[in-house]
Every structure is written in structure tokens, then in C-alpha cells.
Amino acid sequence: MMHPEKKTQSLHDRYVLILALVALLAVPGAAAAQPPTGGHEDHPPEAVADYPSFHLSGFADVNFAAQQVTDGARGFTEGQFVLHMASALSSRVNVFGELSFSPRTDAGTGTPPATGYNAEVERAIIRFDQSDQLKVSFGRYHTPINWWNTAYHHGQWLQTTISRPEMTQFGGRFIPVHFIGALVEGTIPASGWNVGYQGGVGNGRGNVISRGGDAGDNNAKPAWLVNAFAKPDRAYGLQVGGSLYFDRVSVTGRPEIDERIVAGHVVWQHEDPEVIAEIASVHHEPVGGGVTTSNLAYYVQAAYRLPQWKLWKPYYRFEHIDIEAADPVFTGVPNLDGSTVGVRYDISTYAAIKSEVRIRRRVSGQPSTTGWFLQIAFTF
């Protein structure tokens, strides 16, 4: 039997080797992106003055809520203030960053007084583009294990609705929203099927399972993910895909748990209609043996841009979350049967007013709760 220390070292060496191989894949793209340094030149050098090419965009929203105090904030609230930064360092090297500023409910309290906003680096990524078929990146991502999490980032104006599905909400625990590591991705024409793939290795859930391991992995087993999807030419706007995610969850004072997530999605990316459907199963198994648990979540959302009143877009979403009572990782994560019905009105190209009603039932057989929400979201 292998000694535990040797086993841990073996895992660590394997992890380092994989990251080294991923880095080597990036080298051709990075090398091709550098201007010539001397000698004979078959092509003119890159226009150095054009790089870096920096672009900044912002998002913000103002909200009003009428709901039970146990369900969340009431009255007017300031939403997240978000900045997206993109910079091309060369024709094949790009950097992307996303910063969010979220209002705090405890602002001004404590010693020293708490600030009014929490600042967070949501994404910070550098990507080397070898070709459309091969791109290698490193950084902090929104984990590509479901569609919504990578299609709609911070910035409420981007999405049709006010709220995200609860299974993929920021700060939620059902799926790991953030991932820190390396990602290989690309698209292959495949006779019009336009197959895309993503494969990643890095730090999974941190000591607080709703957060990624920004300061380092908290165990010797890295997280792995594989994602594949197709966007066929014959059904333009359709995307069908699935993903697998593996990690070991380590929380102080609790046994380690192996986690496996299987997810799938079908999306029709049109305005008339827009249809999004996703499902994810999260399986937990104690490393030393014990009760294994499986948890399920899914949602279906439909929206339609009205032909006679194109500024109006009504929508509806049903979502369901089923958590096993014995699950040691999801302790305190509530079940859900919920409906969201609303309408979006685009008051300009870059601003929208949204209104929605949410109906939530957390316990089967118990009364549901209802809330009304209004939002003005914009980009600049």
C-alpha cells in the first residue's frame, strides 16, 4: 500500500505535470502573437502601437422589492455596480476582467466601520488563441458546467429576467459558481454541427463551499470539468450540451466528500421565442465510506418578444430544487418549487425596466410565499 504522504505527493506531481502540458499548448499561440525580434521577416511586424487595446463597459441596476422580510430585502435597494474590462495584448493574446461592488447590509457598523460596498474580482482571465479549434486560458472563471453561468455574468441588464435561477445564483451552493485554474477550449465545424468543447483543471470549492479556492486548493485533489455542446447550422439559435464536474469537498471539521456533477442544457437563442432549459444532478460520496446522496435541480424559462410591441418581452420560469435531508455538504440549502412571471420593457438600447412576481414553496404541503419586484437595469 502506498504511503499517504507519497500518495499526496503523487497527486501533486500529476497536477503540476498537467498544468505544465496545458501551458505548453498555449506556447505556440503566445509565440505567434509576439512581434519579430530580429532577423529576416517574411511578414511585417505587428503594429505595436495598437496594443494593448483596452475596452471598459459598466453595468448597474436599481431595485424595488415587496416581499416578506424573511425572504429578503424590502423597499429600494442598489444592485451591483459592475465593470467589465477587455484588453487585447496582441492578435492572439487577450485579457478579461470583471469587478463587482455589492452593497452591504452592515455598512457603518463595527470597529473599524464596515464599508458600504464589498469589492470582488469575479473574473480575471488571460487567454492564448492558437486557433478557433484551440484556445488556452488561465485565471478565475464562472465555472462552465451549465449554460446560464457562462452566458449571463454580473450585470443584470444582460439577462431577460431580474433574478437568476436559484440553482446558479451568485453566492449559492448548489453548483460551484467560480473556478480557478486552466481551461482548454475550442470549436470544430464538424460538417455544420459546430461542436464546442471545454476542459479544465484547477481549484474547486473552498472552505466556504459557495466560494472557489482563490488563495489555493484546500486539498491535494484538483477539480476537473469537461463540457461539450453543439450549435447546428440547420437550426440556427439552437444549442444542446452537457458537462461533467469532479471535485473533492473539504470543509474544516467535516469528513471529505467526493463530488460529481452531471449537467445538461437545451437553449433556443431567439427573441421569439427564447427558451432555456437546464438540469443538474449533484452526487456526494464520503471518502471514507458512508451514505451517498444525490440532489437534483432544474428550470425551464420561456420568453417572447411581442411582434407588435417589440419593446415588450414577457417571460415565465419554473424551477425545482430537491435536496436530500442526509446530504452533509448541502446542509441548510432549501428545497424549492418556484414560478417567476414578468415582463421586460427596453426603454432604450442600453436600459430596461423589468417587473416580475415570484411564487416560492420551500416545503411540500406548506403555503407558498409571493413577492413583487421591479428593476431598472442599464449598461454604459
Side-chain angles (χ1 to χ4, degrees):
M1 181 179 294
M2 184 178 293
H3 192 276
E5 292 184 1
K6 292 183 178 180
K7 183 177 181 181
T8 300
Q9 184 63 38
S10 175
L11 287 171
H12 180 268
D13 293 344
R14 193 179 308 166
Y15 188 17
V16 171
L17 177 60
I18 292 169
L19 286 178
L21 290 173
V22 170
L24 286 173
L25 286 173
V27 169
Q34 301 302 316
T37 57
H40 178 71
E41 296 178 5
D42 293 327
H43 303 283
E46 271 186 341
V48 178
D50 292 340
Y51 300 106
S53 176
F54 181 78
H55 179 73
L56 176 69
S57 58
F59 300 85
D61 55 273
V62 180
N63 302 271
F64 180 85
Q67 61 180 336
Q68 294 184 13
V69 67
T70 55
D71 290 335
R74 297 187 294 182
F76 286 98
T77 57
E78 179 74 19
Q80 282 189 328
F81 185 85
V82 179
L83 296 175
H84 286 185
M85 293 153 284
S87 182
L89 306 186
S90 76
S91 61
R92 297 192 182 187
V93 182
N94 297 277
V95 172
F96 184 84
E98 181 179 43
L99 299 177
S100 71
F101 301 86
S102 305
R104 297 176 55 147
T105 58
D106 62 345
T109 63
T111 305
T115 60
Y117 286 79
N118 277 336
E120 186 81 33
V121 178
E122 303 293 351
R123 289 182 290 162
I125 302 164
I126 182 168
R127 192 180 73 189
F128 305 93
D129 297 350
Q130 171 66 27
S131 64
D132 289 341
Q133 292 76 37
L134 179 61
K135 302 175 182 181
V136 182
S137 59
F138 303 86
R140 189 180 203 253
Y141 310 82
H142 284 144
T143 314
I145 56 173
N146 79 331
W147 185 85
W148 191 292
N149 202 40
T150 54
Y152 298 131
H153 303 286
H154 295 263
Q156 298 281 50
W157 175 84
L158 295 167
Q159 62 194 38
T160 299
T161 58
I162 297 175
S163 59
R164 294 167 66 93
E166 192 162 310
M167 65 180 282
T168 187
Q169 68 178 352
F170 294 126
R173 293 187 285 169
F174 191 82
I175 67 167
V177 175
H178 288 102
F179 177 82
I180 299 89
L183 197 69
V184 179
E185 60 187 308
T187 57
I188 303 169
S191 302
W193 284 93
N194 303 312
V195 176
Y197 72 90
Q198 294 174 310
V201 59
N203 303 341
R205 298 185 191 262
N207 293 324
V208 177
I209 66 168
S210 60
R211 296 187 61 86
D214 298 290
D217 206 344
N218 60 359
N219 56 47
K221 187 172 183 179
W224 300 79
L225 66 89
V226 178
N227 182 4
F229 58 89
K231 302 172 73 172
D233 289 338
R234 292 186 178 182
Y236 181 76
L238 175 67
Q239 178 172 320
V240 181
S243 59
L244 295 171
Y245 176 91
F246 301 91
D247 189 20
R248 176 162 292 176
V249 181
S250 299
V251 179
T252 303
R254 298 182 184 177
E256 291 190 323
I257 303 290
D258 281 334
E259 180 175 67
R260 182 181 75 245
I261 302 177
V262 181
H265 67 268
V266 177
V267 179
W268 183 252
Q269 294 177 269
H270 287 283
E271 293 279 280
D272 52 353
E274 167 193 284
V275 180
I276 309 169
E278 296 199 78
I279 186 170
S281 174
V282 182
H283 181 84
H284 289 142
E285 182 176 354
V287 174
V291 178
T292 61
T293 54
S294 292
N295 310 277
L296 182 69
Y298 61 84
Y299 72 89
V300 178
Q301 176 176 306
Y304 192 87
R305 180 75 67 178
L306 298 179
Q308 300 299 323
W309 300 278
K310 292 186 178 296
L311 300 180
W312 296 87
K313 188 179 181 182
Y315 57 84
Y316 172 78
R317 181 174 68 230
F318 176 80
E319 52 189 310
H320 173 83
I321 299 177
D322 184 18
I323 305 295
E324 285 200 29
D327 192 286
V329 177
F330 288 162
T331 301
V333 176
N335 292 329
L336 173 66
D337 279 311
S339 290
T340 300
V341 58
V343 63
R344 174 185 176 125
Y345 176 73
D346 289 286
I347 56 179
S348 81
T349 304
Y350 304 109
I353 299 175
K354 311 175 194 178
S355 176
E356 68 184 35
V357 174
R358 302 175 204 160
I359 304 170
R360 299 285 185 266
R361 177 175 284 110
R362 299 293 182 180
V363 180
S364 179
Q366 296 296 315
S368 59
T369 61
T370 303
W372 173 69
F373 304 86
L374 181 70
Q375 181 182 83
I376 300 177
F378 51 96
T379 181
F380 55 92

